[in-house]
Amino acid sequence: MTAIAAAPRRTASLGAPRLTFSRLVRAEWIGLTSLRGTIASLVVGTVLVLAVSVGMTALLLAVNGDPAGAPPALMMTLGAATVAQIIAVLVGVGVFAKEHATGSLRTKLAAAPRRVATVGAKAVVVAVSTFAWSLASLLLSFAGVVAVGAVWGVEPALDDALTAILLPIVGAALFTALVGVLSLGVAALLRSETWSVTLVLVFLLVLPTVLLTLPFEWAPTIHDALMAPAGDALMTPNADVDGETVRDIAIAFAWPIAALVAGMAVVRRRDA
């Protein structure tokens, strides 16, 4: 009597989901929006942007008492753009440095070993989120400044609103997004939240001022090649774009791109 050997049961093999860049971006977006610290930073940042622009406008009008001498609404709005840039620094650095400090970055790279693509996905999420947030905050700030001015009888100059008002505000939001990407690249380089935030803030806020005070011929040249002075071209209400404006915009984009590429190179070679 011969025994009939049972044929091995075939198990259906389910392929793992394909790791695409869009999936990485989605995962980074979920990670960003699930961090209470990031949400708190954006909420506090919105309050500070409104406090600086609307609060200073109300204070100046109350002290001067002369509506004719009121500062332009756009100037008061863009004066709060520095606050938005500081928040973008905190968000951009935190997206990488916090994960590295807690060890969650190592787990993420084990599941998604495409390191360069992971940093690129972080950059997309940081750029989009900081741009959308800063644009909404600055538009709300401009509306608040106009409303406060209306209380004192100040009529806003809305002639050519697209070129003179909307484009500078969009440019300020775009520069804020570039600051966030720069901060992410620096964080990937240094892997330290404290040092990354300090270095970026010194680079953006302190170094340009220091260079203007130095009595050297080369100081203004270096000043003009920095990111913050060049970024002013994005916020200038000017319908005509000349060669100098194009150069400044290129410099404003070059710094975050260089920092991000350097950060990608470091992440690719070092252990998480």
Side-chain angles (χ1 to χ4, degrees):
M1 184 176 180
T2 58
I4 300 176
R9 181 180 297 177
R10 294 183 179 180
T11 57
S13 59
L14 298 177
R18 186 180 178 185
L19 186 62
T20 61
F21 185 74
S22 61
R23 290 180 182 271
L24 290 175
V25 172
R26 183 180 179 184
E28 293 297 337
W29 175 256
I30 294 174
L32 178 68
T33 54
S34 62
L35 293 175
R36 287 180 294 180
T38 301
I39 302 302
S41 296
L42 296 179
V43 172
V44 172
T46 302
V47 174
L48 292 177
V49 168
L50 291 173
V52 170
S53 58
V54 179
M56 287 299 299
T57 300
L59 180 63
L60 291 175
L61 288 173
V63 171
N64 294 333
D66 183 11
L74 179 64
M75 185 181 73
M76 298 305 299
T77 300
L78 296 182
T82 302
V83 177
Q85 294 162 20
I86 295 174
I87 300 300
V89 172
L90 298 178
V91 173
V93 170
V95 164
F96 188 93
K98 289 185 183 299
E99 288 188 354
H100 180 266
T102 59
S104 60
L105 180 62
R106 185 179 295 107
T107 303
K108 180 177 293 185
L109 292 178
R114 297 171 57 186
R115 298 190 171 198
V116 172
T118 298
V119 178
K122 290 180 181 294
V124 171
V125 170
V126 168
V128 172
S129 59
T130 52
F131 174 79
W133 165 78
S134 59
L135 180 60
S137 298
L138 292 174
L139 288 175
L140 184 61
S141 173
F142 180 80
V145 171
V146 172
V148 169
V151 175
W152 269 270
V154 179
E155 296 183 0
L158 299 179
D159 298 335
D160 196 11
L162 175 62
T163 302
I165 297 175
L166 183 58
L167 286 183
I169 292 178
V170 172
L174 178 59
F175 185 73
T176 302
L178 293 176
V179 169
V181 175
L182 173 76
S183 305
L184 171 64
V186 173
L189 278 170
L190 300 182
R191 301 188 172 194
S192 169
E193 185 173 10
T194 302
W195 284 108
S196 298
V197 170
T198 302
L199 180 61
V200 175
L201 291 180
V202 169
F203 173 71
L204 292 175
L205 304 179
V206 179
L207 185 58
T209 303
V210 172
L211 286 173
L212 289 179
T213 61
L214 296 179
F216 303 113
E217 295 182 357
W218 48 264
T221 303
I222 297 178
H223 171 272
D224 294 340
L226 294 180
M227 181 178 175
D232 291 339
L234 292 170
M235 297 176 272
T236 303
N238 186 5
D240 299 328
V241 179
D242 53 11
E244 184 176 354
T245 302
V246 174
R247 183 204 65 184
D248 290 341
I249 294 175
I251 291 174
F253 275 84
W255 280 103
I257 292 174
L260 185 62
V261 171
M264 287 178 173
V266 170
V267 172
R268 185 178 182 182
R269 295 183 180 182
R270 293 182 185 175
D271 293 335

